[in-house]
Amino acid sequence: MAALVLASTVALHLVVTTAFLISRPDRQEPPPDGARQLTDAALLLGTAEPGERPRLVTDLARAFPRLGIEMLAPGTATVETSDSPHLHGMRHHLGRGFKAVQLAPEGNARRVGIELPDGTMIAARVDGGPPPLFWGAPWLTALMTAFICVTVLGLWAARALTRPLSSFAQAAENFSLDGTAKPLPERGPEEIRRVARALNRMQERIARLMADRTRMLAAISHDLRTPITRLRLRAEFVEDEGNRKRMLIDLDQMRSMLESVLSLLRNDRKIEAVTLVDIASTLQLVADQFGDMGHVVHYDGPASATAAARPGDLHRGITNLVENAVRFGAEVTIRLDVSDTALVIDVEDDGPGISDARKQEMLEPFVRGDDARTMDESTGFGLGLSIARAIALAHGGELSLHDRDPHGLIVRMQLPLSQTPRLAA
């Protein structure tokens, strides 16, 4: 800010100095030709004897016919209060003892009178030339130039100060745990560099913390698989059929819970690369897979719609949505709608639906359905919607829940298009 004030002061000083040297207001410009001729005539008559003035006026009128110089009798001149633009220059050149005034015009001609030191007045028609241009005034040129200079410097300074803040906001929006986000550049004022350095260290600590958490849970999952396998083998030797079946179900649920948690953690890290994916083919594949398992799942949409996405993550997210839908509904429809800017995937079921009060809550991890969608041993652990939502957010989109008419639920995944999709009938 100190440098900005200093630069603005220097720029303003240079502009004013340049304008002064160009216009030189200390040097009075000579009056226009007609006014200068009248001024010279007045100086000549002022030094002449009163008896010689009539002859001189006649000679001057003959020499300068456009001026129409004449002598006025005392008391016959009609003086106006307004001044012509050239009167100031005339008065400066006449000096003391002379008085230049504006007289009443004759027709369309403007008349100027000069009173000699002895009271005699001469009059002439003086053309003041074109009026001065407003934008051509030296003071206005200096003011406008100074304003432009200060404005440009102010905009530059504002941009220099706000650009790091914009970088901070962009870095927060693009923060990821896969290491693809570039660190903030540590440049600018010392305060900005310190903030950028602190944010970079914070991102590194968060990424390291998440990686350690994932590794810890992966190690726990790996270590738990061995005792789960031993317990399953031992359960096979239980003679009571009912107890053996219940033990095996509990062990399968434990294994499924571990896999679901690891799937959620892997998705948070977003390690899969972005490639061109035929979204329509992926949705049709998911519908066919569930159809092969005996579920009624339909696909409604274009035959082809190509966009940039993470194919494995997208397949897993849609699979979770359809798996949740077939669990509570008898018939499921996967709809795809592609526009110029977005791609919308709707998974509709005809089940009991979810109350409006719990729609947002259902998107959180480990949250299960309400009384209308009760849980049993065949249900999941409340991670399907949260995983699908994390996948949508990783693609820059969003996941929302809506009511289906007349009953049921619509899970809508909206994904932005980074390129124009290719559609085929």
Side-chain angles (χ1 to χ4, degrees), residues 119-397:
T120 304
M121 180 172 288
I122 61 173
R125 295 185 298 271
V126 176
D127 184 9
L133 296 177
F134 179 75
W135 292 102
W139 64 270
L140 185 60
T141 302
L143 180 62
M144 292 300 297
T145 307
F147 175 77
I148 293 174
C149 292
V150 174
T151 301
V152 171
L153 288 173
L155 292 177
W156 172 82
R159 186 172 183 271
L161 292 176
T162 57
R163 184 167 48 189
L165 300 180
S166 302
S167 301
F168 296 161
Q170 188 67 26
E173 292 290 339
N174 298 334
F175 177 73
S176 62
L177 300 176
D178 55 2
T180 58
K182 297 181 180 179
L184 287 172
E186 299 178 7
R187 60 172 180 265
E190 177 60 26
E191 293 78 6
I192 298 296
R193 293 199 301 268
R194 291 176 58 186
V195 173
R197 201 177 303 119
L199 288 177
N200 289 333
R201 288 199 300 266
M202 182 187 68
Q203 290 186 1
E204 294 176 359
R205 288 195 294 267
I206 292 176
R208 188 164 54 250
L209 176 63
M210 296 297 293
D212 293 342
R213 184 196 67 168
T214 302
R215 284 195 297 268
M216 178 188 66
L217 291 177
I220 293 175
S221 174
H222 181 271
D223 294 340
L224 286 178
R225 286 173 181 172
T226 300
I228 289 177
T229 302
R230 289 199 301 264
L231 289 175
R232 187 177 182 85
L233 291 176
R234 293 171 182 172
E236 295 290 345
F237 294 99
V238 175
E239 297 180 357
D240 191 333
E241 181 69 21
N243 289 332
R244 182 172 67 251
K245 182 179 295 186
R246 285 190 294 270
M247 292 175 65
L248 293 176
I249 291 175
D250 291 339
L251 292 173
D252 289 339
Q253 286 185 341
M254 291 174 63
R255 186 181 65 254
S256 298
M257 181 178 295
L258 291 175
E259 293 176 355
S260 298
V261 172
L262 289 177
S263 177
L264 176 63
L265 295 176
R266 285 195 301 267
N267 184 74
D268 283 343
R269 297 184 65 186
K270 299 185 294 187
I271 59 177
E272 190 177 11
V274 176
T275 59
L276 286 178
V277 182
D278 190 344
I279 308 297
S281 298
T282 300
L283 300 182
Q284 184 66 61
L285 176 62
V286 174
D288 294 340
Q289 289 175 344
F290 279 90
D292 294 340
M293 292 185 293
H295 301 288
V296 181
V297 180
H298 306 287
Y299 168 71
D300 183 11
S304 177
T306 304
R310 296 179 174 87
D313 289 349
L314 184 63
H315 185 276
R316 182 166 67 252
I318 300 301
T319 300
N320 288 343
L321 297 181
V322 177
E323 182 179 0
N324 186 72
V326 298
R327 184 177 296 125
F328 303 105
E331 185 175 353
V332 178
T333 302
I334 307 175
R335 301 187 189 276
L336 174 62
D337 183 19
V338 182
S339 63
D340 295 336
T341 59
L343 182 147
V344 180
I345 302 173
D346 287 345
V347 178
E348 305 178 4
D349 67 68
D350 56 355
I354 298 177
S355 62
D356 293 338
R358 300 206 62 193
K359 279 187 173 63
Q360 189 63 32
E361 181 185 0
M362 288 296 299
L363 298 177
E364 300 298 329
F366 302 106
V367 177
R368 299 184 179 184
D370 53 19
D371 296 338
R373 302 170 81 98
T374 55
M375 297 287 120
D376 53 29
E377 63 272 5
S378 64
T379 60
F381 305 98
L383 292 175
L385 290 177
S386 61
I387 291 176
R389 185 192 183 194
I391 292 173
L393 293 176
H395 285 79

Side-chain angles (χ1 to χ4, degrees), residues 52-117:
E52 296 180 359
R53 287 175 182 172
R55 181 180 58 82
L56 291 175
V57 168
T58 303
D59 294 339
L60 291 172
R62 189 166 48 249
F64 307 113
R66 295 182 58 184
L67 294 179
I69 299 177
E70 60 179 343
M71 294 185 64
L72 300 179
T76 60
T78 304
V79 180
E80 293 187 349
T81 57
S82 60
D83 285 349
S84 298
H86 48 268
L87 286 181
H88 180 71
M90 293 176 63
R91 293 171 183 144
H92 179 79
H93 282 77
L94 287 171
R96 294 183 179 181
F98 295 86
K99 183 179 181 182
V101 294
Q102 182 72 42
L103 300 179
E106 288 184 353
N108 296 329
R110 292 179 297 177
R111 300 173 70 233
V112 175
I114 298 179
E115 185 178 342
L116 304 180

Side-chain angles (χ1 to χ4, degrees), residues 33-52:
D33 292 340
R36 184 169 61 249
Q37 294 168 359
L38 178 59
T39 302
D40 295 339
L43 292 174
L44 177 62
L45 293 173
T47 58
E49 296 293 334
E52 296 180 359

Side-chain angles (χ1 to χ4, degrees), residues 13-25:
H13 179 72
L14 292 176
V15 169
V16 173
T17 303
T18 303
F20 176 81
L21 293 177
I22 293 175
S23 61
R24 293 308 300 264

